[in-house]
Amino acid sequence: MDAVNSRRTVLVAAAGAAALAGCSNPGDSGGSSSPTPGAPSGSASATPGASSPPAASGEPSPPAQAGQVLAKVSDIPVGGGKIFAEQKVVVTQPTAGTFKGFSAICTHQGCTVSTVADGTIDCPCHGSKYRIADASVANGPATRPLPARQITVDKDSILLP
């Protein structure tokens, strides 16, 4: 075997070993691992009703909020909304105390919507507008509503699960 083929063999073997190592978990006994039912792939699962360990004072810690905090309730204007481009979600408050979550991706050609004004969620690319109450199309060229996104309100916070 010449030096070039020998080097290729070593590189291929090393790449294969690295790829296999990335497929196993530390402490894994080589058995098959299946995700927790109902848990999204790549997410940690929590046991419902599990309490937090006691704090240093001996008192139980308050339970952690489930999900990512997007905003405070007061950040979402009544009759308007706010776009969270990084999370690709729009949160609206069509009437006082009613919060709705929708995808921030326009159903026309996939642009991210840019503003919420005058009762609509507006796309800058081709002028599509969606109603803040139900994300139905108020003005084309889009023909389909924005898909709903699950949000939760916990006290004064709006969360994205």
Side-chain angles (χ1 to χ4, degrees), residues 1 3 9 22 34 43 50 52 71-72 77 81 84 94 97-98 103 108 112 115 118 120 135 145-147 156-157:
M1 185 178 329
T9 302
S34 60
S43 69
S52 301
K72 292 188 178 293
F84 300 90
T98 302
S103 169
H108 175 238
T112 302
T115 56
D118 302 319
T120 61
L146 294 173
D156 67 343
S157 295

Side-chain angles (χ1 to χ4, degrees), residues 114-159:
S114 62
T115 56
V116 180
D118 302 319
T120 61
I121 302 163
D122 306 335
C123 180
C125 293
H126 301 104
S128 293
K129 294 179 182 271
Y130 304 88
R131 293 177 185 88
I132 64 169
D134 60 5
S136 62
V137 176
N139 187 57
T143 58
R144 293 174 289 129
L146 294 173
R149 290 282 306 267
Q150 183 181 353
I151 58 168
T152 56
V153 178
D154 183 19
K155 297 178 183 138
D156 67 343
S157 295
I158 297 173
L159 307 164

Side-chain angles (χ1 to χ4, degrees), residues 12 45 50 56 89 104 131:
V12 169
S45 60
V89 68
R131 293 177 185 88

Side-chain angles (χ1 to χ4, degrees), residues 11-33:
L11 289 174
V12 169
L20 288 175
C23 293
S24 65
N25 293 328
D28 190 358
S29 62
S32 126
S33 172

Side-chain angles (χ1 to χ4, degrees), residues 21 31 33 47 76 83 88 96 139:
S33 172
T47 304
I76 312 299
I83 298 164
K88 298 181 179 155
N139 187 57

